[in-house]
Structure formats: structure tokens, C-alpha cells
Amino acid sequence: MGDPRGDDARCYIACLQCIGMEAPGRVASLWWVAVPAAGLLAGAALQMQQSELWPALWVRGLAAAGCLCVVCAALLRRRAVAPALCSAALAALALGFAVTSERAAGRLADGLDAGLEGEDIELTGLVAQMPRVATYGTRFVFDVESARHRAALVRVPQRVLLTWYDRDGDSARGSGGGGGSPDSAGADTLPSGPAQTLGAGQRWQLVVRLRQPHGALNPHGFDLELWLFEQGIGAVGYVRAHASAPALRLGEAAGAPIERLRQAARDAIERRVADRTAAGVLAALALGDQGAIERDDWELFRLGGVAHLMSISGLHVTMLAWLAAGLIGALWRRSERLVLAVAAGVAGRWGGLAVATAYALFAGWGVPAQRTVWMLAVVVALRGAGVRWPLLLVLLVAAALVVALDPWALMQPGFWLSFVAVALLVAAAPERLRPAGRRRRLVAALRSGLRTQALATAGLTPLTLLFFQQVSVVGFVANLVAIPLVTLVITPLALAGLAWPALWMPAGWGVQALLTYLSALVRLPFAVWTAAAAPPWAVAAGLLGGALAVLPLPWRLRALALPLVLPLLLPVLPRPDRGRFEIVAVDVGQGTAVLVRTRDHLLVYDSGPQYSAEADAGSRVLVPLLRARGERAVDLLVLSHRDSDHVGGAASLLAALPARELASSLADDHPLRALAQARGARHTRCVDGASWSWDGVHFEMLHPQRADYGSARKPNALSCVLRVEAAGRSALLAGDIEAAQEAALVARGADLRSELLLVPHHGSRTSSTPAFLDAVAPRLALVQAAYRSRFGHPAPDVMARYAARGIVVVRSDRCGAWTAGADGREVCAREDGRRYWHHRNVPGPDPATAR
């Protein structure tokens, strides 16, 4: 056995070598690069924790302080290294914070005036990116050149996100379907409907309706408003194209040359490859067009643990740079004059960097491509200067450059997964001699590949759980086949197909083989491990455990990785005590979805709307939220009635999580009844008088009565009304009942008194009668309705009835998800996690006449 102290020393030396500090003389010079880069990252990250931006005067004062720290660092650099480095760190921190704040203030200032929301505005501008065609229409980014409202020039954001629905926006938005008919006004006038000839770089004159960016805001959910803010999009809206407001194309496409090339290549792939899934994957690999991959295919890639391969990776860019450098260097050597002017090696390196940069821009300039380009740029520049930095320092500088250009990239999971993956592999890479003999080199390469994949899997598992609350158990096995297949076969063929399109056919066959392999793997039991969102201390412990698992440290230290990661893999789930319940009114837009949690049971009341043929509240909101809360099954799913804004997400919910029982007023032949039965859920009808108790919490169904099923003329009249009570707290979930049903409940003498009322029919004028409100006498009323609801919900006169009775009204469009904990604490997601980019929804004029 070897000397353990010798092992420790070797590990220590390896760690010093991997960060480039094995020689004490190099420490000072490297720290002068590392400290400012880390300070810049920290300053930008700290700035993004603000709920409101600092006043401009404060920001400028901070910038001035940062400049003063730079001067101090320069003066102290040769006399007192430690104080000088501290000054440099403070300078970078302050300047990173200040510059990010200035850029954020500029983006917030480029917003849409509230008075222009919902108004017809004539825009002239440029289609800035490749349009995205979906079943509901076409979505595209539009750079505005001028805007008119009622013939007067007005100021609107420089960049807006528009949707051209299948029908005119007033009737089609949210419908997810419809068809248009051709317009005979001319070849350059598109009818209302999917703009098939819409292309990047084209100039158009469009009549649109805009609104300020606003998205659903739920715990652990996707932050649409952050994404729009990062993209520089100041408003969203839809095109109104009809006879009185024609859309006019203004000349030939002239702008956005890179996007035009990308769209031409994407269209060529779609024409050549018949299989839509294969075409989407090839477009993602060759062009960085990840939106070309369908939602179901993304789910398969995530479950199989290979989603990271479905984008332009650093390996793709590096391979292209290496090939380009070799080719340029070889051609350069053929010219004596060129070699005398610039060495072939120098020309090859800079030429390879130029090709890599051009390809990264052509591929959409994603974070992995940016990281690789900046790392290559630093290495090439250092090589030209005769300096060598350790790879971890190069990676840190590349991260700082990415954040300097796009500070809000820090908030995206892809940033951390991309940089941390490379950092772990660099830090864990051992120094090995190249073995002699071809067979030994092949064996060594295979062993190195297995080791690299094992390190990446172990090191990234904590981050994957942090961001997505799930990790693929079969990912290691899947990647053993997927990485060489995608990297060495599919991606090179996809790229070569840009020059010779016939190669896209064998690339498509490779994609189909990969899909078959992944489908077999994800059908295995326990193919995916799902864990609830962990508390901060468990996250910190898990990240430390992941680092210990891969770093070249003594085994007695690496053995600590498993106990450190366990709280992240198996977090303790907060649950109400017996006799108490928690309620969450989920923000799903125009629709209803409520969670009721007791100690050992979960009830889901309605499942929200279907947004389009590709998306619904179940897949987009409820399933991620339930997984983040550690829910593995639904004990009772209540679907109050058949309207799509209440049952639109049910199919996705039933497909993702087992439901033990379904209670509804749905007809016997409704497809959801058959789906629930196929998934093993027992169905019961909502009937007045049905009651049960879970963990000391009492549930009672108050409506409909059995006779109502034969006499009701509207689905709303059959809404399941549920009352929940425990420990002096109560809630009434009223669905979409209207005045007649409210009167019947009052007349029957039902026990309606409740502390919390889910406002009937989203605050419509059809409901919330005075007698009903007096009978319920709630302290707080919840309205689940979309921002600027096209139905005008909630109606102002209805809200006046609540105000006259002193009832506090909470609206999902202003609160986001609302949670009442078992301890009585009530939280609005918009207030609890507010950041400066989140929409400030202040009361304003109603967008439509309330119904």
C-alpha cells in the first residue's frame, strides 16, 4: 500500500496544477485576472436580487466609488498586494452592479405606455428573427421603426413579440385554432391567419394590439417576464389583419442577414427531411433552432438525460474551429508571401477563431457557443502574447465576458450547467501519459470517455435537481450511445448538409435510431428520479457534495459526497399538521386551478385552461409546481365542469401524475372520463351531500344536486361547489356557478360561511349576488383571471359589491399564485419573489365589457 500522505500530496499538487498555481511566482499575476472577473460576476448577481432598481443618483455614486477603488488598486499594486486585490474586487463588484443597473433602467424605460394597451396601433418595422409557425398561428419578433395611433406618432418599445393568429386576434387569441381565407387585396397583403410568406429580414406595416409583458408567476415556475426582459422585448401582442386593417409587406427582405440565412437553411431541412421530429433535431444541431423540436420530443430527451446534446455545444464549435484552423494553416503555408507576413500557425488560430465566431452567430449565439468562443478568443490572444493561463481561469474570464454582454444570462439554468460542466471536467482531469501502441491508446480513450461521462453525471446531478427537480437515472447509459452518435455522426452530417443537402437523409436516420433507443430506456421502471425543491441549506450541501465527488481529493473526503447530496435527493417535505390544511390558488391565467393539501392527502380543484394545441396549464404550470412540491400522486382531482378553462390541463396532469380518484360533473362520454379510467382513477359524480374527512380536515360537496344533471342547460350550472373546513379555517370553492345556483344554495340553507371564497365565475356579472355574499361572509375573496382578460373579468360592479362588504379581494393577475399556509401565513408570489423586471399591474381601464 502507498503512503496516504503521499496520496494527499499528489492530490494537492494536482489541484494546484489544474488551477495553474503550482509556481508561487505565478500567483500574483493570475489573481489580478481572477479577482476582477469574479467581482464582476458577483456584482451582476447581487444586482439581480433587487425588487426595485436603485435611484439613478445612487447607481452613479456606486460607479464613482468603483472607479475610486480602481485607482486605489493601481496605487497599491506593487506595495501591498492583498489590499490592492481587495480594492480590485470591490471595484469590479461595484462596477458590475452599476453597469447592470444602468442597462436594466434603460430596458425598463423602453416599455409600453399603459394607455396604449389594447389599442389599434400601426407599426412599421422589420421581422428580426426566424418566425415560429405553430398550430395557432405564427409568432415572431418585430423591430419597430415607427408607430402610429389614430394617425399620430407614438412611442412604443423598440422590440415587440407578435403573434399572427389563424383568425383575427380578437376572436382567435386563446382559441388555439381556426383557419383563414385568402385575401384578394394583392400579393403583398396577407390575410388574417398564419403568414406563410413571413420571413426574417422582411419589412412590414402591421396593425397590432399590444400589452405590457405579463406572464403567470408561480413558485418554482418559468419566469416568462424575465425571459422577455432578457431578450429586450418591451411588449407582446397580436396582428389584426382584415379588410379594414390590411398587413402590407414593404419591399424585399433586406435586414437581419444572419437570420435570413438561418431561415433559408431551416426551410431547406424541412423540405428535404420528411420526418418532422428528425427535421427539428437537425435544425437544432445545425442552426441552434431549439424551438424546432416538439414539446413531446424535448420531454423524451429530458427523461433520457440527453437534452444537453440537442443544442449547439462547445464541442461542436471547438471541432469546427480546429478543422478550420488546420485547413487555413495548410493553405497559408502554400504562399511564401503570406508566411513571411504572418506565421501559418498564427493565421490558422485566428482564422479558426473567426470561423467559430461566425458559426456561433449563425447558430443563434447561445450560452454554450458564447462560452466556447470567448474561451477560444482568450486562448488565441494569450498564445499570441506568449502567455499561458490555466483552463479554469480562462473559463472564469469567458463567464465574465458572457455576463458583461448579457447580465441576465446568470438567471438561466443553461449558463450554470454549461460553465459548471466544463469547470468540473477541467478540475477533475488527471495528468496522464499517452500510452504506446494503437490498441492501448484506444482502450485508454474508452476508459477516459467512461470516466468523463461518470464525472459529468455525478457533478451535474445536484445542479439538475436544483433547476428541474428531476434527474435521469438512465442518463449515464443513454449518453454512452447518444454522445458519440450525436457528436461524431448526426451533427457532422447535419453541418455538412448545409453544403450538400443529401447528407441530411442519413443524419435523419441517425436521429430516428437515437429516438428508438431513448424510448426503450425511458420505459424502464425508475428511469427518472424526481425530488422536491430543497431548502437553501440542502442545495448548498448538495452542490458541495457534487464537487467533492469529482475533484481529485483523498477518498476519505470524497466519501462525504453521498451524505451531503442526500438532503437534495430526499428533502424533508413540509406538510400541514393533522387538522390543518394548506391552499394554493395557482396562477394559470384565465382559468381555475387550486391545490388543497392536508397532512397525507392532496386535492386538485380544476386544472386550468388549454392555451393552444401544444400547451396547457397542466404541462406548463401544474405538473412542474406539483413536482417541485414533492407530490407524486393526486388523491382526488375535482373537475368542476366541462369548460376548457377548468379542464384544459387535466389530460397532461393525468398523464404525468397518477390520480387515485376523479370527481366531476362531466358527461359519461367525455374523453377525460375515459382517460382517467385508463390511468386507474375511479370516477364519482359531484353530488350535494357527499362528504369525507382527511387527516382531521372536513370536505363537503354542496352542489350540484342529482336532479340538476337532467335539467341544467349550461355547464356552469353543474359546477362542483366544495367546502373545506378545519381548525376554525374554511374555504368555499365555487367554480362557475351563476346567480340561479347561488340563490338555490342560499334557499336550501347550505352551510356556506367561509373565511375564503373562490369568486364564482372569475368575477363575472353572472355571479356574486348580494345574498350569496352575505351568506358566505368571507374575509378574503380570490379571483382567478388573466391579465387584461378578454372577458373583462372581474367586472368592476361585482368588485364594488365585495368592497362594500369589506371583503379583501386578491386577484391572480396582480398577485400571481396565492398561498395560505397551514400556519395562517398568506403569500402572493409576485410580492414574495418580486424582482425589478416583474410587471407592475396597477388598476387601469377595463380591456373589454365584462360578461
Side-chain angles (χ1 to χ4, degrees):
M1 293 180 62
D3 184 358
R5 289 173 297 178
D7 292 340
D8 291 355
R10 282 190 291 272
C11 289
Y12 176 70
I13 293 170
C15 289
L16 289 179
Q17 288 175 340
C18 82
I19 62 174
M21 295 184 179
E22 71 279 8
R26 300 186 63 189
V27 173
S29 60
L30 292 179
W31 281 120
W32 279 106
V33 178
V35 168
L40 175 67
L41 292 170
L46 186 63
Q47 190 272 345
M48 289 171 206
Q49 307 310 308
Q50 293 181 292
S51 58
E52 301 282 351
L53 288 179
W54 281 5
L57 185 61
W58 293 14
V59 173
R60 289 166 190 162
L62 183 65
C67 294
L68 182 61
C69 289
V70 172
V71 175
C72 292
L75 293 175
L76 295 172
R77 180 174 182 179
R78 297 189 181 277
R79 290 180 292 175
V81 175
L85 285 173
C86 290
S87 296
L90 291 174
L93 184 75
L95 292 174
F97 189 103
V99 170
T100 304
S101 294
E102 287 287 350
R103 295 181 64 182
R107 294 198 179 186
L108 290 177
D110 186 36
L112 179 70
D113 185 88
L116 293 177
E117 287 190 296
E119 296 288 323
D120 283 352
I121 303 174
E122 182 183 275
L123 299 184
T124 300
L126 190 78
V127 179
Q129 298 176 6
M130 290 190 297
R132 173 72 47 220
V133 178
T135 56
Y136 54 82
T138 303
R139 178 163 290 186
F140 57 100
V141 175
F142 197 67
D143 284 349
V144 178
E145 298 171 355
S146 65
R148 291 182 177 273
H149 176 239
R150 298 176 183 171
L153 286 172
V154 293
R155 190 192 67 81
V156 299
Q158 298 177 8
R159 174 164 285 195
V160 297
L161 179 64
L162 298 175
T163 302
W164 202 320
Y165 286 104
D166 285 346
R167 298 192 299 263
D168 175 66
D170 277 344
S171 59
R173 58 194 169 118
S175 66
S181 58
D183 193 331
S184 59
D188 286 340
T189 301
L190 286 177
S192 174
Q196 298 296 341
T197 60
L198 195 68
Q202 296 175 351
R203 292 185 70 246
W204 284 85
Q205 179 179 294
L206 304 168
V207 175
V208 305
R209 286 189 177 178
L210 301 175
R211 63 173 176 83
Q212 297 174 354
H214 184 97
L217 204 59
N218 295 282
H220 316 292
F222 175 68
D223 192 342
L224 175 64
E225 293 166 33
L226 170 61
W227 182 84
L228 293 171
F229 186 82
E230 182 188 5
Q231 302 298 313
I233 294 171
V236 298
Y238 59 92
V239 177
R240 283 174 51 80
H242 45 74
S244 61
L248 302 175
R249 179 173 168 182
L250 307 175
E252 295 298 321
I258 294 177
E259 287 297 314
R260 293 210 313 272
L261 288 174
R262 295 183 72 212
Q263 184 168 358
R266 185 188 70 182
D267 294 344
I269 291 174
E270 291 176 349
R271 286 193 301 269
R272 175 72 64 160
V273 181
D275 183 79
R276 187 172 180 179
T277 297
V281 172
L282 295 182
L285 293 175
L287 312 174
D289 183 17
Q290 296 184 8
I293 299 179
E294 298 292 337
R295 186 185 70 177
D296 291 343
D297 298 323
W298 270 122
E299 184 67 13
L300 175 62
F301 296 143
R302 277 192 288 267
L303 295 177
V306 301
H308 63 99
L309 296 174
M310 299 301 124
S311 61
I312 302 298
S313 71
L315 179 60
H316 302 159
V317 179
T318 304
M319 282 196 310
L320 188 62
W322 177 70
L323 292 173
L327 180 60
I328 292 171
L331 294 175
W332 200 271
R333 293 184 183 92
R334 294 178 176 272
S335 171
E336 183 178 350
R337 181 180 300 178
L338 292 177
V339 171
L340 291 175
V342 179
V346 174
R349 288 193 293 273
W350 285 102
L353 175 62
V355 171
T357 303
Y359 173 59
L361 291 170
F362 178 73
W365 198 238
V367 168
Q370 291 183 53
R371 180 205 73 215
T372 306
V373 167
W374 290 123
M375 289 182 69
L376 290 172
V378 172
V379 169
V380 169
L382 292 175
R383 185 75 178 271
V387 179
R388 183 180 179 183
W389 283 356
L391 284 178
L392 283 182
L393 183 57
V394 173
L395 188 68
L396 178 62
V397 172
L401 289 171
V402 170
V403 171
L405 294 174
D406 179 12
W408 298 278
L410 273 171
M411 305 299 292
Q412 304 301 333
F415 175 89
W416 296 100
L417 291 170
S418 176
F419 278 97
V420 171
V422 176
L424 288 174
L425 294 178
V426 170
E431 294 288 335
R432 294 185 184 276
L433 296 176
R434 187 180 181 186
R438 183 178 301 176
R439 182 175 179 180
R440 290 185 176 181
R441 286 197 296 270
L442 178 60
V443 172
L446 290 175
R447 293 176 64 180
S448 176
L450 289 172
R451 180 179 182 275
T452 298
Q453 182 56 40
L455 289 174
T457 300
L460 292 181
T461 291
L463 268 182
T464 305
L465 286 171
L466 170 63
F467 290 128
F468 307 113
Q469 286 80 53
Q470 66 178 25
V471 64
S472 176
V473 178
V474 299
F476 179 81
V477 177
N479 278 284
L480 291 179
V481 174
I483 288 178
L485 180 60
V486 172
T487 303
L488 302 179
V489 179
I490 298 175
T491 299
L493 289 175
L495 293 175
L498 297 172
W500 188 14
L503 294 176
W504 284 328
M505 292 303 295
W509 299 336
V511 173
Q512 292 169 350
L514 176 63
L515 293 173
T516 302
Y517 175 64
L518 292 176
S519 298
L521 284 179
V522 300
R523 284 196 294 266
L524 296 174
F526 305 107
V528 177
W529 179 264
T530 302
W537 69 267
V539 171
L543 295 177
L544 176 60
L548 290 178
V550 301
L551 289 176
L553 297 170
W555 278 105
R556 61 174 174 270
L557 290 178
R558 299 176 77 175
L560 296 174
L562 182 58
L564 286 171
V565 172
L566 276 179
L568 190 60
L569 289 170
L570 298 167
V572 177
L573 302 177
R575 293 291 185 250
D577 294 333
R578 182 174 176 80
R580 296 184 177 274
F581 66 92
E582 176 189 18
I583 189 165
V584 181
V586 187
D587 185 5
V588 292
Q590 186 65 34
T592 296
V594 178
L595 313 181
V596 181
R597 215 338 159 163
T598 69
R599 181 175 180 82
D600 298 318
H601 296 83
L602 171 68
L603 181 146
V604 177
Y605 182 88
D606 283 340
S607 60
Q610 181 174 9
Y611 305 125
S612 68
E614 293 94 355
D616 55 64
S619 60
R620 292 287 179 90
V621 180
L622 284 178
V623 171
L625 175 59
L626 292 173
R627 284 176 174 165
R629 290 171 56 88
E631 306 289 0
R632 298 187 179 275
V634 177
D635 293 284
L636 177 61
L637 172 61
V638 179
L639 298 178
S640 62
H641 61 296
R642 73 184 188 197
D643 284 358
S644 63
D645 59 333
H646 293 254
V647 303
S652 295
L653 180 60
L654 289 168
L657 291 173
R660 296 186 174 92
E661 186 175 353
L662 170 66
S664 77
S665 61
L666 302 178
D668 293 341
D669 58 350
H670 196 284
L672 286 173
R673 291 274 300 270
L675 177 61
Q677 183 178 5
R679 299 285 297 178
R682 180 172 60 91
H683 179 265
T684 58
R685 272 189 168 182
C686 294
V687 176
D688 170 34
S691 64
W692 66 97
S693 291
W694 284 343
D695 313 313
V697 179
H698 183 69
F699 296 80
E700 183 178 5
M701 200 70 70
L702 304 180
H703 184 80
Q705 294 184 303
R706 293 187 184 276
D708 294 333
Y709 282 96
S711 60
R713 296 183 178 182
K714 296 173 63 177
N716 289 354
L718 292 177
S719 289
C720 304
V721 177
L722 179 66
R723 187 172 184 270
V724 186
E725 183 179 17
R729 299 176 62 215
S730 54
L732 185 67
L733 309 181
D736 277 359
I737 59 171
E738 299 183 354
Q741 291 77 50
E742 291 178 355
L745 283 168
V746 173
R748 291 204 304 267
D751 184 8
L752 299 174
R753 293 190 68 85
S754 300
E755 178 189 25
L756 166 68
L757 171 65
L758 181 64
V759 173
H761 202 180
H762 317 285
S764 167
R765 286 197 177 102
T766 62
S767 309
S768 297
T769 57
F772 180 75
L773 294 183
D774 292 338
V776 179
R779 174 184 63 83
L780 184 143
L782 284 170
V783 179
Q784 290 188 299
Y787 172 65
R788 294 188 60 81
S789 165
R790 64 191 179 106
F791 302 108
H793 295 158
D797 51 341
V798 172
M799 292 296 95
R801 292 178 208 154
Y802 285 86
R805 289 162 174 78
I807 302 170
V808 177
V809 175
V810 175
R811 296 173 46 163
S812 61
D813 59 336
R814 298 176 184 172
C815 169
W818 180 85
T819 302
D823 58 358
R825 181 171 178 261
E826 298 172 356
V827 177
C828 275
R830 283 194 175 272
E831 296 301 326
D832 190 51
R834 180 174 292 281
R835 296 293 182 267
Y836 58 79
W837 55 77
H838 286 149
H839 180 226
R840 267 62 174 168
N841 182 9
V842 296
D846 292 315
T849 301
R851 288 181 248 173

